Amino acid sequence: MKKSWKRLLGLDILSDKYAYSNDAEHGWVATEKIPEKWVKTTCGYCSVGCGMKVGVRGDRAVAVRGDEDHPVNRGKLCPKGLSEHHTLQARSRALRPLLKQKNEFQPVSWDTALDTMVEKFLSVQAKYGKQALGVLSTGQLVTEEFYALGKLIQLGFGTSNYDGNTTLCMASAVAGYKRSFGSDGPPGAYDDLAESDLVILIGANIADNHPILCQRLAENRQGTVVVVDPRVTKTAMLADLHLPVKPRSDIALLNGIGHVLIAESMIDAAYIERHTTGFEQLRTHLAAYTPSHVAGISGLTEEQVLDIARRFGRARAPFVAWTMGVNHSTQGAETVNAICNLSLLTGKLGFAGAAPFSITGQCNAMGSREASCTSSLPGYRKFESAEDRAEIAKLWNVDPSVIPTKRGHAYPDLVEGMVKKEIRALWIIATNPLVSFPNYDVLTQALGNLEFLVVQDGFHPTPTTLHADLVLPAAIWGEKEGTYTNSERRVSKVNAAVPPPGEALSDFEIFLRTAGQLGVRDKLFPNWTGPRDAFEEWRQVSKGRLCDYSGLSYELLETAGPIQWPHPQGTESTGTRRLYADGRFEHSDEKAKLFCIEWQPAPEQPSRQYPFVLNTGRTVEHWHTRTKTGEVEMLHRMSPRAWLEMNPTDAERLGLEMHDKVTLVSRRGQVDGVELRVTSIIAPGHVFLPFHYFEYNSNRLTLSAYDPISREPNYKQCAVRVERSH
Ligand SMILES: Nc1nc2c(c(=O)[nH]1)N[C@H]1C(S)=C(S)[C@@H](COP(=O)(O)OP(=O)(O)OC[C@H]3O[C@@H](n4cnc5c(=O)[nH]c(N)nc54)[C@H](O)[C@@H]3O)O[C@H]1N2
Ligand SMILES: Nc1nc2c(c(=O)[nH]1)N[C@H]1C(S)=C(S)[C@@H](COP(=O)(O)OP(=O)(O)OC[C@H]3O[C@@H](n4cnc5c(=O)[nH]c(N)nc54)[C@H](O)[C@@H]3O)O[C@H]1N2
Ligand code: SF4
Ligand SMILES: [Mo]
């Protein structure tokens, strides 16, 4: 049968590899695309954390499908997940270590590469002090790698100038949770999307960026969905109610809701008394945020402010979720506090449907928050706490004096440190700052000051690897083992489906070998051979902490499926769905804190010369800096280049039309030749540019303005002008 149709199409002369076959399971497909086995793993893009199976034939990944048994996605995947296997065979994978000599990259052995790296780092540290070495990592490694890297940096290299791209992303949520509740850790669960009777999404465009959460939201049959976003996103189009706030007016709106809740006695006095501090000050503070005052700031009507406040007050279980529209702000952490205030004033958190919930970004930003040594010590321990330092020192069998008493520089301060030549060598792991860091010119000046730059990436060339003195080729998703934690604290197993290409090594192996080169492998990683060893140690280190992994094991995760922490040893259950169910928080008095937050305007206002507010963000087809999705034909073709959204009234005034090429200019730089999209999904006076494209780099325009608390950049507003390109 197979032969006859092949002959019919003249395919019988082709080798078997290219022949088509009719396989009962797959239908008509190229033989080379029929998997011989399926390997279970977790998606390596976003923090939704979908379970998937990778189809493998020989040593190639040839297909991906959703894992029907996975509690998050139940068999479904978005377009990025479905095509993720194509990233493994991309032409631009980094294949061997490359050392720049006389401005040319030369291939070198791993021994030479790591020898050179350690030698350069140590000599910089000898000359300028230990802190002169900086490290920038990511939210895209496995937790085991974050844990190992933290030890290597803090104990091995002895520098605390270590941070990650998570500061460009989650830092405001982390800092906000720590201030309100005493610890990081999102309290809710995805089930809440279906169980809540009022879902409010603030600055979160889940239709593009967390598509499978839309599926979970679709299970909500009676609740109301409200989107708060200056732009009419796809998510706003799906919602029951869209509140098109003026940029950066969220705090005013949230305070206005608080004001009405108090004025109309829709608060829970008993909960406030038992479980919070700071109510009297907050009551006084919110008195000024009347609906009319808030309407003036937010651009909403008084009725809209009253309506959303009353909906919140009447809701049995309000679920307030947010992403970068909140975090990417000079008041990011404070906006998070203003959100938490509302849940606390009404006592509506810790039960089915009710939570203030930060939706994370990267596949394992949560793992980095839990286990690395960037903004906290592992297990959400605080650098500032002598007790926490003593505890981690004991677990690591080191003297407590070697544990720093405060965190090192956060990402923007590391860059500032390079500008000032305090940081002289940098190790970048799995992030691409030339595209993603704000104010490109400052960054390139900073990198230019370094004596040695190492970039460890799965791909080369990238805009960042091109700046490196040494490129270390890394294995990526699909080629390594470990665990990821998703936005709802669910720990999922990640497995290697295929070996890495060329000489690429897993980040884990690179860290172990570096420790070897540094002479600290036996001390830091005794008898470790693989990620399982790190996981076993991490279980002990997280024991008794909020993110308790002690009851988890690779075997349990493989057999029972992914599990939400905390999961202490001896637990029979399938994880903890919600935190703070008992109203006991992580501050020393076990109470949550209410914060008085004052609204402030965005750091850069439009002017005559720069009349537009530039908003930057994402689209469903692409992942960040496109090292991965730019290599997937299907995704690339759907969205091959950047575009600028502009309201029809503005376009008409400027004499511009759909598809015209325009130039954007800010006080920092300019971007040329962007295709104009004239559309009323964007308000007059605003423009929107996706940040994915280095060729049209939005971060040549954005500004160096950071949240003083979280250090997160204000990516979502800066002032620009738009003119026709010449
Ligand atoms: N397809 C895809 N998915 C992704 C990613 C990706 O690159 N591509 N990245 C992942 C990562 S790391 C992250 S962090 C998430 C990000 O996920 P999102 O936060 O959903 O993504 P963004 O597009 O950056 O911004 C969200 C929204 O904030 C709105 N916004 C801008 N200013 C304001 C404001 O002042 N107030 C309010 N309320 N809203 C405002 C924007 O209009 C935008 O719609 O996505 C994750 N998922
Ligand atoms: N203007 C503007 N700028 C923004 C944002 C915005 O909304 N607007 N969003 C910000 C946010 S929220 C984020 S999270 C950042 C993201 O910014 P980046 O972190 O710079 O973006 P990615 O493209 O995810 O970069 C990850 C890099 O790691 C590599 N990589 C992938 N997997 C692995 C691996 O397993 N090991 C190693 N060693 N390398 C690997 C990839 O090839 C890629 O080069 O961008 C920020 N920048
Ligand atoms: S929603 Fe996120 S985790 Fe799920 S398949 Fe898409 S990118 Fe992967
Ligand atoms: Mo992010």
Side-chain angles (χ1 to χ4, degrees):
M1 148 85 186
K2 214 157 133 186
K3 245 205 173 103
S4 60
W5 84 263
K6 268 204 234 169
R7 190 169 302 144
L8 205 65
L9 294 174
L11 288 173
D12 53 333
I13 51 165
L14 293 177
S15 79
D16 222 30
K17 189 172 164 220
Y18 297 105
Y20 285 74
S21 80
N22 187 5
D23 172 285
E25 201 186 345
H26 304 90
W28 294 106
V29 287
T31 310
E32 63 160 349
K33 289 190 179 167
I34 298 177
E36 293 157 344
K37 62 171 182 179
W38 292 93
V39 177
K40 262 195 188 194
T41 188
T42 310
C43 180
Y45 285 113
C46 90
S47 65
V48 172
C50 296
M52 50 168 55
K53 294 179 190 161
V54 182
V56 180
R57 186 175 184 88
D59 60 1
R60 282 168 73 87
V62 294
V64 160
R65 60 162 67 151
D67 180 353
E68 304 274 344
D69 301 327
H70 199 283
V72 166
N73 56 315
R74 301 163 192 158
K76 299 196 172 75
L77 293 174
C78 83
K80 288 186 302 304
L82 269 173
S83 55
E84 198 162 4
H85 56 294
H86 292 296
T87 63
L88 296 163
Q89 290 132 31
R91 287 156 307 168
S92 54
R93 289 299 305 276
L95 299 176
R96 55 190 62 86
L98 298 172
L99 186 63
K100 210 178 255 170
Q101 283 157 338
K102 299 200 185 91
N103 257 333
E104 297 259 326
F105 281 118
Q106 303 291 345
V108 291
S109 69
W110 271 106
D111 278 348
T112 308
L114 296 181
D115 195 27
T116 312
M117 172 166 98
V118 168
E119 195 264 312
K120 293 277 184 188
F121 285 175
L122 291 182
S123 78
V124 158
Q125 288 188 303
K127 249 198 298 187
Y128 308 106
K130 294 244 180 207
Q131 296 288 95
L133 170 64
V135 181
L136 263 180
S137 94
T138 181
Q140 298 175 50
L141 303 183
V142 292
T143 300
E144 293 76 355
E145 290 169 341
F146 287 127
Y147 180 69
L149 180 63
K151 280 185 97 177
L152 176 64
I153 300 307
Q154 293 286 356
L155 304 180
F157 285 105
T159 175
S160 59
N161 282 334
Y162 164 38
D163 199 18
N165 66 2
T166 42
T167 292
L168 311 182
C169 177
M170 302 318 308
S172 297
V174 172
Y177 277 141
K178 280 186 188 167
R179 279 157 50 99
S180 288
F181 301 147
S183 175
D184 184 19
Y190 296 161
D191 287 347
D192 295 332
L193 287 167
E195 293 172 19
S196 165
D197 55 349
L198 177 68
V199 176
I200 306 181
L201 298 167
I202 309 184
N205 178 13
I206 59 173
D208 274 301
N209 303 321
H210 300 92
I212 297 301
L213 291 189
C214 289
Q215 309 266 3
R216 301 296 301 269
L217 193 56
E219 292 160 19
N220 190 325
R221 300 272 175 241
Q222 330 81 28
T224 306
V225 178
V226 182
V227 166
V228 181
D229 197 306
R231 183 167 163 251
V232 192
T233 58
K234 291 171 199 158
T235 314
M237 293 174 199
L238 295 172
D240 299 300
L241 194 63
H242 174 215
L243 299 178
V245 284
K246 284 192 186 158
R248 254 324 30 89
S249 66
D250 304 83
I251 289 178
L253 175 62
L254 294 161
N255 281 350
I257 298 175
H259 173 99
V260 176
L261 291 175
I262 295 174
E264 302 195 354
S265 305
M266 292 191 284
I267 55 174
D268 183 340
Y271 188 94
I272 294 172
E273 170 65 27
R274 239 178 298 137
H275 301 302
T276 72
T277 54
F279 176 66
E280 280 313 317
Q281 294 92 314
L282 182 61
R283 180 211 290 273
T284 313
H285 173 74
L286 292 180
Y289 285 87
T290 59
S292 78
H293 179 53
V294 171
I297 298 172
S298 64
L300 303 175
T301 62
E302 274 184 63
E303 290 69 38
Q304 282 175 309
V305 178
L306 273 168
D307 174 65
I308 183 71
R310 288 176 182 153
R311 284 178 191 271
F312 193 97
R314 289 189 201 121
R316 177 190 54 79
F319 185 74
V320 190
W322 74 88
T323 319
M324 293 307 127
V326 165
N327 290 353
H328 281 168
S329 153
T330 40
Q331 283 191 287
E334 292 192 313
T335 314
V336 172
N337 295 133
I339 293 172
C340 294
N341 279 350
L342 300 183
S343 305
L344 293 167
L345 284 172
T346 51
K348 290 174 182 171
L349 75 161
F351 57 89
F357 190 77
S358 129
I359 305 174
T360 321
Q362 302 165 81
C363 56
N364 201 26
M366 284 288 290
S368 160
R369 283 153 75 168
E370 296 153 13
S372 78
C373 286
T374 53
S375 62
S376 305
L377 289 163
Y380 296 142
R381 289 181 178 86
K382 299 182 175 76
F383 283 106
E384 293 76 15
S385 156
E387 197 186 321
D388 286 357
R389 290 198 305 274
E391 201 174 77
I392 196 83
K394 188 154 177 252
L395 285 160
W396 282 347
N397 200 15
V398 295
D399 194 277
S401 66
V402 303
I403 311 291
T405 54
K406 62 177 176 42
R407 67 167 300 177
H409 284 326
Y411 191 160
D413 306 306
L414 272 170
V415 173
E416 182 61 25
M418 292 183 244
V419 171
K420 291 190 191 144
K421 299 196 177 176
E422 290 161 11
I423 307 277
R424 297 290 189 131
L426 185 70
W427 185 5
I428 295 180
I429 301 152
T431 184
N432 193 3
L434 266 294
V435 190
S436 57
F437 191 75
N439 203 345
Y440 178 89
D441 280 354
V442 172
L443 179 74
T444 45
Q445 188 200 339
L447 294 178
N449 282 350
L450 292 172
E451 291 186 11
F452 202 67
L453 172 64
V454 180
V455 180
Q456 180 168 322
D457 204 288
F459 294 78
H460 172 76
T462 74
T464 304
T465 61
L466 286 176
H467 274 260
D469 296 295
L470 176 67
V471 178
L472 300 179
I476 61 170
W477 165 93
E479 297 162 350
K480 55 187 186 177
E481 187 183 18
T483 52
Y484 292 153
T485 313
N486 75 358
S487 287
E488 56 165 358
R489 295 170 282 104
R490 191 178 291 280
V491 181
S492 281
K493 190 76 202 312
V494 172
N495 289 312
V498 292
E503 294 167 26
L505 293 175
S506 71
D507 296 278
F508 191 81
E509 181 62 25
I510 300 173
F511 301 150
L512 290 198
R513 290 196 191 187
T514 304
Q517 203 69 247
L518 195 59
V520 296
R521 182 164 173 163
D522 289 341
K523 195 168 121 219
L524 302 185
F525 312 124
N527 307 317
W528 283 21
T529 52
R532 179 188 284 269
D533 300 307
F535 188 84
E536 289 305 317
E537 188 173 307
W538 167 236
R539 282 176 61 192
Q540 299 311 315
V541 167
S542 66
K543 194 173 182 165
R545 307 296 304 176
L546 188 64
C547 51
D548 193 328
Y549 275 58
S550 59
L552 297 179
S553 66
Y554 275 10
E555 286 68 27
L556 187 64
L557 293 173
E558 296 282 9
T559 52
I563 293 179
Q564 286 174 284
W565 63 246
H567 196 264
Q569 212 151 18
T571 320
E572 292 296 319
S573 78
T574 49
T576 308
R577 274 218 294 183
R578 297 177 185 89
L579 303 180
Y580 312 127
D582 55 3
R584 284 165 54 194
F585 294 89
E586 295 285 307
H587 284 302
S588 52
D589 59 1
E590 296 194 344
K591 291 187 175 186
K593 280 195 181 130
L594 294 166
F595 278 88
C596 301
I597 307 298
E598 203 72 82
W599 167 81
Q600 291 163 17
E604 190 178 60
Q605 293 295 320
S607 62
R608 228 158 38 128
Q609 228 188 338
Y610 303 100
F612 286 99
V613 178
L614 172 69
N615 180 359
T616 63
R618 299 162 159 76
T619 182
V620 67
E621 301 86 9
H622 282 299
W623 181 254
H624 296 162
T625 71
R626 280 168 55 256
T627 58
K628 289 172 80 176
T629 49
E631 293 293 321
V632 178
E633 189 72 12
M634 173 182 100
L635 300 174
H636 171 72
R637 284 200 189 190
M638 282 197 279
S639 209
R641 64 190 82 84
W643 68 91
L644 185 78
E645 291 169 8
M646 181 184 274
N647 188 273
T649 54
D650 290 323
E652 200 184 330
R653 197 167 39 79
L654 296 176
L656 293 168
E657 285 180 8
M658 191 79 158
H659 306 309
D660 279 353
K661 293 285 189 309
V662 293
T663 296
L664 287 95
V665 187
S666 81
R667 289 186 179 84
R668 275 79 42 196
Q670 75 175 57
V671 174
D672 294 311
V674 184
E675 188 174 313
L676 193 69
R677 210 177 263 183
V678 180
T679 164
S680 34
I681 72 171
I682 190 94
H686 303 177
V687 286
F688 175 87
L689 179 69
F691 90 100
H692 304 295
Y693 301 83
F694 182 61
E695 312 83 292
Y696 314 92
N697 191 348
S698 70
N699 285 317
R700 286 181 183 268
L701 305 163
T702 52
L703 72 176
S704 305
Y706 302 99
D707 181 333
I709 301 169
S710 69
R711 307 305 289 143
E712 183 147 341
N714 197 97
Y715 281 121
K716 298 281 188 258
Q717 300 90 26
C718 71
V720 296
R721 71 166 173 270
V722 181
E723 41 199 47
R724 188 184 297 281
S725 298
H726 296 293

